[in-house]
Amino acid sequence: IRGSLDSVTEFLSIVIAAAVVNNLVLVQFLGVTAFYSASSRLQNSLEIALLTAAVLVTASLLNLLLTNYVLSPLDLMFLQLICFVAVSGSITVLILHWLREKFPVSLRRLHLHLLLVGGNSAVIGISIINTRNGLGLIENIANSIGAALGFALVLIAFAALRQRLDTADVPQPFRGPAIHLISAGIIAMCFLGF
């Protein structure tokens, strides 16, 4: 029983560390463009966060298997980035095909953002981080889930903040992107405190 509790505790600590302490957007600066462009509306950010989480976790797992069983044994590690982009792009296309049938309105409204998820630096970056750190399968899954949760947390929170800032009494020179970037910088400093 103690061994299983220790493994669950380790799994949860990796998830929390990836979500908060090593946040992809605010600490490692991966996926910043998706973070800023997709956080204009709360509904858009929820949909992008869900899609990114699905692609991020799936791509990270497949990329780990690809690295351990194909690229590394065949000494083809120089193709790692190209393979990672191809895997994440393929997963995104498969998910978009499924979304076309189930949620056509969301797909039309967010078409460009959804296509960019496959090449999102957060999705590809977490795969590179996991393989370079030599994480095993369980640690890879935990780190990927934590990274996806952290990305979703920041994206949704920033979308809510942007909605409040749009109706707030902000001085004229700071309205628009200026106050958004200042707010993102303050949030990033808060996350660095963890």
Side-chain angles (χ1 to χ4, degrees):
I1 294 174
R2 182 163 175 84
S4 64
L5 280 176
D6 289 341
S7 62
V8 170
T9 304
E10 182 182 349
F11 185 87
L12 289 176
S13 67
I14 292 172
V15 169
I16 292 169
V20 180
V21 178
N22 296 322
N23 189 280
L24 281 178
V25 178
L26 298 176
V27 176
Q28 298 181 17
F29 304 115
L30 294 171
V32 175
T33 55
F35 159 72
Y36 187 75
S37 66
S39 64
S40 59
R41 289 187 47 221
L42 192 56
Q43 183 179 359
N44 293 355
S45 65
L46 285 169
E47 293 169 353
I48 296 294
L50 286 173
L51 178 68
T52 303
V55 172
L56 192 144
V57 172
T58 308
S60 178
L61 180 62
L62 290 177
N63 286 334
L64 178 72
L65 296 174
L66 178 70
T67 300
N68 288 345
Y69 296 111
V70 177
L71 297 178
S72 186
L74 296 175
D75 198 26
L76 297 172
M77 291 301 287
F78 62 92
L79 294 174
Q80 186 179 40
L81 182 61
I82 295 168
C83 292
F84 286 3
V85 171
V87 167
S88 64
S90 301
I91 292 169
T92 303
V93 168
L94 290 174
I95 292 175
L96 289 178
H97 181 68
W98 177 79
L99 285 175
R100 183 176 295 125
E101 297 170 1
K102 305 290 183 189
F103 305 102
V105 175
S106 293
L107 187 65
R108 274 182 289 185
R109 185 170 33 91
L110 295 171
H111 189 67
L112 180 62
H113 290 298
L114 295 177
L115 287 174
L116 293 176
V117 168
N120 187 347
S121 62
V123 173
I124 298 165
I126 197 66
S127 294
I128 292 173
I129 289 169
N130 287 346
T131 56
R132 296 259 166 96
N133 289 340
L135 298 179
L137 183 64
I138 301 300
E139 291 89 5
N140 184 323
I141 293 170
N143 197 37
S144 300
I145 290 171
L149 287 174
F151 184 82
L153 170 79
V154 169
L155 185 65
I156 294 166
F158 194 68
L161 178 67
R162 280 180 71 172
Q163 284 185 345
R164 287 202 52 157
L165 287 173
D166 290 341
T167 59
D169 186 24
V170 178
Q172 184 63 33
F174 293 113
R175 288 193 182 148
I179 193 69
H180 296 157
L181 292 175
I182 291 169
S183 301
I186 293 170
I187 294 170
M189 286 190 295
C190 293
F191 269 77
L192 285 174
F194 289 116

